[in-house]
Amino acid sequence: MLWGGLFMLGALIVVLSFISKRAQTAAAILGGIGFGTFIDEVGKFVTSDNDYFFRPAVAIIYVIFILIFLAGRAIHASQNYSAPEYLINALQEMEDVVLHHLDEEERNKTLKYLAHADKADPLVAALESALLQKQLIPPPPATIFERGQSLIKSIYVCAAASRWFHLAVIFFFVGQLLLKLTYVFVLIFLFGLEWRQILDVRVLGAIGARMGRLSFIDVAELASSLFAGAFVLWGVLRLRRSRLRAFVNFERSILVSIFLTQVFVFYQEQLHALVGLAFNLAVLVALRYMINRERGDGAADSYVE
């Protein structure tokens, strides 16, 4: 906890002492490490006996990170920027002009900010003139990440045009749904039983007995998994008519898993639940890319044979 406070103090010193983008990045890294180190001790402070290994601690940490994420999204989603704020953002981007690091993408971004600023302000015209006269640096060679993006794009375009694309998507999402429900079933009803008990026909009686004494966590985990599964099934039904709407429903299923089901899985499995979270995040990234591709191609509601 003390080391976490020290890192967060360092982040405050950096962000209050320097104005460059590198300083902001350094402050974000230091602050993130500091807060992570601090919140790691939460088990000691929510228990009377300072139990670091308090079982719900990991779930509490996960819920806190979710709330931070949602708060950040709410702030940016509901905020309407004024003309002076657009001008301030443009001025911050002008740092690259001073450092002779301005490339075409950064210039276009700054010009976009200025387009929303007050045209009557003489500073806007001066900044636009300076940007248009400034010599741009040549674009850097494509990184491994950018080359990978291009490769993924070409693969997706080819795959989306094939006849088996729908079957592959259905197989993947229905398969991961069945695996998820199987995992939850095993975790709730079969966890703790020996193999000879599981293979015995009397295991049905043990399952029935456990159903009668399910905890709130068990019921919530099962209910949220079924809720996520409903979005998968609805997406499968919509896939033939509209890829975009199907992908959006698949995305909703993954979001339910991340924001609801994973909370209860972290309570049950603690750090072992990171594997499932990593898988859900990877699927979410892929779905976001597929949704953006469908929207960008203007094929949102096209019928596919």
Side-chain angles (χ1 to χ4, degrees), residues 82-92 113-114 116-118 121 123-124 127:
S82 63
E85 288 173 328
Y86 277 111
L87 181 56
I88 291 172
N89 278 279
L91 286 169
Q92 289 181 334
Y113 286 145
L114 293 173
H116 291 86
D118 185 5
D121 192 329
L123 185 56
V124 174
L127 292 176

Side-chain angles (χ1 to χ4, degrees), residues 44-304:
K44 295 181 179 180
F45 299 100
V46 297
T47 56
S48 58
D49 57 350
N50 297 329
D51 184 7
Y52 176 82
F53 296 100
F54 183 51
R55 184 178 182 184
V58 178
I60 293 173
I61 294 172
Y62 184 66
V63 169
I64 290 173
F65 281 125
I66 288 177
L67 294 176
I68 292 173
F69 171 78
L70 293 177
R73 287 292 298 271
I75 291 171
H76 289 285
S78 61
Q79 193 168 13
N80 295 319
Y81 297 102
S82 63
E85 288 173 328
Y86 277 111
L87 181 56
I88 291 172
N89 278 279
L91 286 169
Q92 289 181 334
E93 294 296 329
M94 293 297 287
E95 173 191 326
D96 290 320
V97 176
V98 178
L99 298 175
H100 307 287
H101 291 162
L102 187 70
D103 59 24
E104 184 176 3
E105 180 180 354
E106 290 166 337
R107 183 177 69 176
N108 293 338
K109 180 180 179 181
T110 309
L111 288 172
K112 184 178 179 181
Y113 286 145
L114 293 173
H116 291 86
D118 185 5
K119 293 296 183 180
D121 192 329
L123 185 56
V124 174
L127 292 176
E128 287 180 340
S129 176
L131 283 170
L132 295 175
Q133 294 177 14
K134 181 66 177 178
Q135 184 177 1
L136 303 177
I137 63 172
T143 63
I144 296 178
F145 178 73
E146 291 171 336
R147 291 197 295 269
Q149 279 186 316
S150 299
L151 178 61
I152 292 173
K153 178 181 177 180
S154 60
I155 293 175
Y156 176 77
V157 171
C158 294
S162 65
R163 295 181 177 179
W164 52 264
F165 180 75
H166 283 141
L167 291 177
V169 171
I170 292 172
F171 178 80
F172 175 81
F173 282 101
V174 173
Q176 66 92 21
L177 170 62
L178 293 176
L179 286 175
K180 185 183 302 181
L181 292 177
T182 301
Y183 173 77
V184 171
F185 178 83
V186 171
L187 188 64
I188 294 176
F189 296 106
L190 301 181
F191 186 75
L193 298 179
E194 298 179 1
W195 277 110
R196 60 181 181 81
Q197 294 175 295
I198 295 175
L199 297 177
D200 194 325
V201 69
R202 288 174 293 182
V203 71
L204 297 176
I207 293 175
R210 287 200 175 189
M211 288 185 65
R213 57 175 186 271
L214 290 179
S215 66
F216 169 78
I217 298 297
D218 294 331
V219 174
E221 185 176 356
L222 185 59
S224 60
S225 298
L226 294 174
F227 185 42
F231 281 115
V232 170
L233 295 178
W234 184 242
V236 170
L237 295 176
R238 301 289 297 179
L239 184 59
R240 178 62 62 177
R241 299 188 61 186
S242 172
R243 285 182 182 175
L244 177 59
R245 293 178 182 177
F247 292 164
V248 168
N249 280 290
F250 293 150
E251 181 190 35
R252 290 169 180 167
S253 172
I254 296 298
L255 290 176
V256 170
S257 296
I258 292 174
F259 289 118
L260 287 179
T261 309
Q262 281 294 146
V263 174
F264 308 115
V265 175
F266 270 110
Y267 179 87
Q268 299 272 33
E269 292 290 290
Q270 296 185 318
L271 293 179
H272 293 94
L274 286 172
V275 177
L277 177 62
F279 174 78
N280 284 327
L281 290 175
V283 175
L284 180 62
V285 170
L287 278 171
R288 287 279 170 86
Y289 174 80
M290 294 162 71
I291 290 172
N292 290 334
R293 286 291 306 171
E294 292 299 321
R295 286 174 175 162
D297 291 343
D301 295 307
S302 62
Y303 287 77
V304 180

